[in-house]
Amino acid sequence: MKQQIVRVIDNVQDAERARQALLDAGFDRDGIEISHTGDEAGPSEANFTVGDKPAVKGGTDYKDVYTPGLEIGKCVITITAEEGRLEKAASILEYHGAQDNDPAHRH
């Protein structure tokens, strides 16, 4: 069954290097999504319209879970792959400087 991981990386160049490493490791191009937290119109701000109950994500709300990693100019990488391959994807992303900013994963 396919699952996802999300990581944050400092810049587009590192994100593209990570993408190429994932492709070289056999990950599906369609399962690698990179989004940038700024664009040609200027920097974006985190703007979420939904949230989680405090009991979700280790007792934090949606804002606490996602906004710390969305400083302007960073990239968010989402990998969709078979569950058994996600550990490999996480390792590749970590090698290229990507971070897991979800506080629920720190415990």
Side-chain angles (χ1 to χ4, degrees):
M1 179 158 105
K2 291 195 175 189
Q3 304 234 340
Q4 291 184 326
I5 59 170
V6 178
R7 299 293 187 266
V8 177
I9 198 163
D10 285 336
N11 59 63
V12 174
Q13 295 82 10
D14 288 338
E16 288 300 330
R17 281 191 281 277
R19 179 199 314 260
Q20 188 58 54
L22 289 160
L23 292 170
D24 292 346
F27 285 87
D28 182 8
R29 180 176 301 279
D30 293 336
I32 304 168
E33 180 184 336
I34 299 175
S35 60
H36 194 267
T37 59
D39 65 19
E40 68 278 355
S44 63
E45 296 292 333
N47 183 15
F48 299 105
T49 58
V50 298
D52 291 330
K53 295 178 184 177
V56 177
K57 297 286 184 189
T60 61
D61 65 20
Y62 198 85
K63 178 181 172 222
D64 292 335
V65 173
Y66 290 100
T67 55
L70 294 180
E71 295 92 7
I72 303 309
K74 296 199 176 194
C75 293
V76 177
I77 302 176
T78 304
I79 307 301
T80 304
E82 293 298 324
E83 184 177 6
R85 303 247 12 230
L86 290 179
E87 188 173 321
K88 176 70 173 172
S91 175
I92 290 169
L93 292 171
E94 184 178 332
Y95 177 81
H96 288 278
Q99 299 177 350
D100 181 356
N101 288 339
D102 186 341
H105 295 159
R106 294 184 195 141
H107 301 291

